[in-house]
Amino acid sequence: MVSFEELVYVPEFDSYMEVSRARDEKLNYVSISGTQMREEYFNRGRRLPEWYTRPEVSQILLEECPPRNKQGFCVWITGLPCSGKSTIAKALNSRLRSMGKNNPS
C-alpha cells in the first residue's frame, strides 16, 4: 500500500501541496471534501471552483449529479389484490402533479 497525505490548494502559489507542509508554513489553503461537493455544490446546482477542476469537468459533474430537486424517485406500492394500491397510486400521482412534479409515464 502506498500512503499519501491530503493535498490542499494554496492560492498564494496557485498550487497544491501536502496539508502538513501548508500548516507548518502557516499558509492559507483551501480544500473541498466529498460531502462539501455534494451538499454545497452539486445539490445547489453550483459549479466547482476553477482551482479545483477545469470548467469542462465541473459542467459534466453538474450534469451527472443533479440537485435533489431535479432527481427522480420511485415509490413502490405493494399489497394484496383489491387493497387500494391503484387508488393510492392515483391519489399520489394527482398530488404530485398539483405540486408541479412531472410524471413521464
Side-chain angles (χ1 to χ4, degrees):
M1 174 152 92
V2 177
S3 63
F4 63 93
E5 192 173 348
E6 176 188 2
L7 295 177
V8 293
Y9 179 72
V10 181
E12 179 181 349
F13 299 120
D14 189 26
S15 175
Y16 285 87
M17 70 173 55
E18 292 177 336
V19 68
S20 62
R21 180 175 162 210
R23 285 183 187 141
D24 290 346
E25 296 182 24
K26 297 182 179 8
L27 298 170
N28 290 323
Y29 61 87
V30 289
S31 67
I32 297 177
S33 71
T35 301
Q36 283 177 297
M37 275 196 286
R38 184 184 67 243
E39 293 177 2
E40 296 176 21
Y41 291 91
F42 299 147
N43 285 350
R44 296 179 184 179
R46 293 176 49 207
R47 287 185 136 176
L48 291 166
E50 288 191 25
W51 61 262
Y52 188 80
T53 190
R54 296 190 332 225
E56 301 86 0
V57 173
S58 183
Q59 183 60 40
I60 291 168
L61 289 170
L62 268 179
E63 291 168 7
E64 294 300 316
C65 304
R68 286 228 184 248
N69 66 342
K70 303 270 189 220
Q71 295 177 9
F73 65 95
C74 177
V75 176
W76 192 278
I77 302 173
T78 63
L80 295 171
C82 299
S83 62
K85 297 180 299 296
S86 295
T87 303
I88 291 171
K90 288 175 187 174
L92 178 60
N93 185 30
S94 177
R95 179 73 173 127
L96 290 171
R97 284 178 179 262
S98 74
M99 295 169 60
K101 309 298 181 189
N102 292 331
N103 180 2
S105 57

